[in-house]
Amino acid sequence: MTKTVGAGRAARRLLEDVNLEVDAGEVVAVLGRSGSGKSTLLHLLGGLDLPDRGRITLADEDLTRQSSQRLARTRLRHVGFVFQAFHLIEELSGEENVLVPTRLPGAKRGGERRAKKLIEELGIDDIKERRPHELSGGEQQRFAIARALVNDPELVLADEPTGNLDQENGAAVLELLRRLEDRAVVIVTHEPQAAAIADRVLHLSDGRLSQPAVEARRARLGGAAA
Amino acid sequence: MRGSAAPRHEKQTRRQVKAAIAEASIGLRLRRRRTLLTAVGIVLAAAMLAAAIVVSDSLGKGFSRAARQAHLADIIVRFDSQPARRVARRINALPDIRYFSLRQEVTNVSISSGANSAGNASVEIVQVGGRGPHGYALVAGHDVTNQAGQVVVERGLAAAWHIPLNGTIDISGLGAEHVVGFAEEPDNVAYPLAVPQIYISRQALGPEDNPYVNEAQIWLKDPRYLNEVLVQARATSYGVEGLRFVTRSGVRVLLDQAAGIVIDLLVALSLIALATAGVLLAASARAEVERRMAAIGVRRAVGAPRGFIALTQAIEALLIAVPAATLGTLAGALATGGPSDRLLMLLNEPSAGARLIPLLAAGWAVSIAIPTLAAAWPAWRAAGRPPVELLRGAELKAHGRSVFGRRTPGALGSGGSLAVLGGRLAGARRTRLAATAVTLGCSTAFVLLMLALASGLSNLETDPQALGKRYQLTAALPPSAVQKVKKISGVQAVAPRYEDQAVDSFSLGETIDVIGYPGNPTTFEAPPLTAGHRPRGPDQAEVGTGLADALGLSPGSLLAVEFQSGKELRLRVAGVVGSFDHDGRVAYVPAKAMLRADPFAPEELAIIVKPGANTAAVQKTIGPAAAPTTGAIGRGVPLVQTLRAILTAIAIVDGLVCLYALTQACALIVQERRRTVAVLRAFGAGPAAVGRLLAGAAAALVVPAAALGIVLEATVLGPSLSSLAANYATLPLAPTTADIAAVLIGLALAAAVAVAWVTHRATSESVVLGLAGP
């Protein structure tokens, strides 16, 4: 797919014939410098934006051919987002923030049960009544991850999930993302530590996705071993 | 160093202003929709203010203006026809007289023009070319001259009959007369509320050495000595029959009271509209500043002065406010100018015209100043914070606690919903929520009051009981028929009712409608009591407020009236009652006493029909002698209709204010919670979900506002206005269930429109842009 932002002389091609396939259970890290188009790629994958050219297929459906309402429904059922700035709603407790996606019309049933389980699994049960400003960055990101997973999505998209965290909390969040099973996870980041937990590491540079030589070799080795 | 610091500073300031104008213009172009919403608010507030100014000034100062323009006499004296010289001699003998004008009033003259005709016109034969004024103002054309065939007609008549200037009017006995001018004479209301009035010149009727006159208009050198002159005039008028004095202040009382209620309502409502606009525009400006906090931080960090930041905001607000306030002021003035002018014409008062311009200009300036200050102040405050804090995007004020408490257990737990979240988002700004809910509540109360008033006015027109008449039928039958009528099925009570005209014995002038009932008159006629008590004996009477004002009567005073028979009736005033009949110049007396003084007083039967009985059937049984009682203001229908038009206009503007307040409140929530809405949309919230969120926010405003509005109308506004109107009529102004239902539906519709529009706006935006920031 291809994506240009801006218009006229300010137009800038951020993605040029990018081709990416992520399987269920696979964690893909996309590394790149600031402004390289990582977030744009993530928005396209999640159906928040549309490419100029190309197709995005999720759960056997072409997102580029869907109406905005249908896209919203696809996001609701198949996609979970984790943001760098957490974007928790200040008026709600941590638990209530997790429950928000389950209250949207058309959400999968059993949201409350899943929310409870996720909160327990992520170790934030004791602080679930706290409001965001009463939580540390790491705790906020755990609630954000729980919110991303509460509707049981097949695809989890994380935009700089460790960008606002210290090293220890960042590592813990990455570990959480690593442990997600049966889901395709795409993490875009400019921090190389993310590469450590990924099954596949890609570099986005000059609008093109590429696999670093060491990664390609590792992949080939892995393939031979398999 | 050469050159002083002052020119340099001036140059720098000019540069800063230019830069601020450029930046503000760019800002407006970038935020077109938000600009439009702000502009709509200013248009509404300015329109409301202009409407209040137009109606308040037009009606409030109408009489003074009319009196000034027409040179209304300090004393108007009417009497039976006398030779002009005799009258002039008597008046010349009075002290403090500046000048006077004599005229002959001929009543019950038949006139016609086109398809219209009337048999009760009053033709005023005036002396032209005298040294003083004539007591009427010419509003078009010119005055009558000493040439035959010219008339001036009152403006109300010309408007009602569509008589053009230079048109013709047929006057019985004179033939077709040429209409050379339109006049207003503020001593009475205009046609059709009163009889049609026409002015012709005495000289045009032919030479007459000592013509007869029956009206004198007197201007005093010093109106402070009015009472002394009146005493002298009464003393020297011995032998003059049918004398009636009317003073300028007496005319004013009647006319001013009618306008008072409307003016009070409008002023209150315009204050509400201004408060609404102020609160919401200030909130909008604050939200906008918060959104730009980082940008302000960058400017401050690179050295932009605090004043420059505030100036940019002020100029941006000015660029919106100037055209919006101009449009609103024009719209408000035009919307209310028409009905006000019509009302003034009915009251025989001139429209304010160009005199309104300075006031409207002041209103326009206020409409610009409020949003400008509301925009500049938060920017000034924000720019005063350390740039580092601003760059972090710090809020203007620390997070307050939600009105729903720190936490609402289960708000999004079991059974919770997006609507609850919307309510919590609205509640996060406590002051704004309270201010907007109070504004909406006041508007709701006013709309309820308008509805109650409208039905109250209809009652005045159609329901005689609103004016204190408790009988539904009258019958032109003698008192001997009482027993026979009483036996008719459906009749509850019957009594003879006597009514005749008399004059006040002391003032030798004021005509009074005297109404007599045998026994307790309040069974049949009980206008609201405004002072004293009901009559308790055969020597006591009730008088109307108009009569009490004219004669200075109060409970305990002596009422002495003289009938055409020449006999006098003297009774003690027990109470003063509000009555529209005969402008309140009415006295309720015991029939026995009345018949002693006036044995041939016209009589009829007053019939009260049993509750639930068929009045028409009773009327049919009695026969052609029976007639239904009508509302007492049949002739006042145009006045009522005009008042209703003004009330409707106010209610519509009020409704628009509600709609604006709701839309702006929802838009502000979306503006401030842009990222929250974007996050919800990223997780799959479609327009329906965003709509639910905003519906919850709107409900947080509407529900308390509706409750407040109903309570305010039922406990404060309705009772207050009822007591104001109690001098005239029984107007129950408590909201009915239908009124409440209509207002609740209206509020719900306004909320639905606001939610739909803001939802559409919010969901049209790219999610990615929303995630980028507030």
Side-chain angles (χ1 to χ4, degrees), chain A residues 43 46 48-49 69 71-73 75-77 79-83 85 87-93 96-97 99-105 112 129-131 133-134 144 147-148 151, chain B residues 399-402 405-418 421 424-425 428 673 675-676 678-689 692 766-768 771-772:
Chain A
H43 294 150
L48 296 179
D49 203 353
Q69 285 206 29
L71 266 177
R73 189 151 178 104
R75 288 198 296 270
L76 177 66
R77 295 189 150 259
V79 186
F81 285 96
V82 179
F83 303 103
H87 294 339
L88 297 176
I89 298 169
E90 186 53 46
E91 283 70 23
L92 302 180
S93 67
E96 286 170 333
N97 266 289
L99 283 166
V100 165
T102 69
R103 297 295 175 222
L104 296 174
E112 274 181 53
E129 298 293 321
R130 291 188 194 168
R131 281 169 58 176
H133 69 272
E134 298 167 329
R147 180 179 62 183
N151 274 341
Chain B
H399 279 297
R401 279 180 58 184
S402 160
R406 183 177 173 275
R407 198 169 295 129
T408 310
L412 278 168
S414 56
S417 70
L418 284 172
L421 174 60
R424 291 177 76 171
L425 294 183
R673 308 301 175 137
R675 194 176 275 156
T676 300
V679 169
L680 287 175
R681 291 179 66 206
F683 278 106
R692 280 184 205 179
S766 154
V767 180
V768 176
L771 286 171

Side-chain angles (χ1 to χ4, degrees), chain B residues 539-751:
Chain B
D539 59 341
Q540 293 189 351
E542 280 177 346
V543 295
T545 42
L547 186 62
D549 286 341
L551 300 179
L553 296 173
S554 58
S557 303
L558 188 67
L559 170 74
V561 293
E562 199 175 299
F563 289 95
Q564 283 167 343
S565 62
K567 287 188 181 172
E568 194 187 56
L569 171 64
R570 287 191 173 215
L571 293 166
R572 191 63 61 187
V573 175
V576 179
V577 292
S579 172
F580 271 119
D581 280 347
H582 201 66
D583 293 336
R585 293 173 184 223
V586 64
Y588 295 91
V589 301
K592 204 179 266 182
M594 182 178 174
L595 289 173
R596 263 201 308 272
D598 188 19
F600 302 106
E603 63 199 13
E604 62 183 359
L605 297 186
I607 301 156
I608 299 176
V609 178
K610 281 180 186 164
N614 187 342
T615 307
V618 174
Q619 185 188 349
K620 201 174 170 187
T621 312
I622 296 170
T629 315
T630 57
I633 53 163
R635 278 192 308 162
V637 168
L639 178 70
V640 171
Q641 282 172 347
T642 309
L643 280 175
R644 219 182 281 155
I646 290 178
L647 292 178
T648 309
I650 297 170
I652 289 171
V653 178
D654 201 10
L656 288 174
V657 168
C658 283
L659 180 60
Y660 168 74
L662 280 166
T663 310
Q664 182 70 295
C666 289
L668 276 171
I669 288 169
V670 169
Q671 188 181 338
E672 288 166 349
R673 308 301 175 137
R674 192 180 179 204
R675 194 176 275 156
T676 300
V677 173
V679 169
L680 287 175
R681 291 179 66 206
F683 278 106
V690 176
R692 280 184 205 179
L693 180 87
L694 288 172
L701 291 165
V702 166
V703 172
L708 175 69
I710 293 166
V711 171
L712 194 63
E713 208 285 326
T715 59
V716 181
L717 295 181
S720 307
L721 207 60
S722 285
S723 70
L724 269 177
N727 285 349
Y728 307 97
T730 308
L731 280 181
L733 294 176
T736 62
T737 313
D739 290 343
I740 292 171
V743 168
L744 291 181
I745 290 169
L747 267 179
L749 280 176

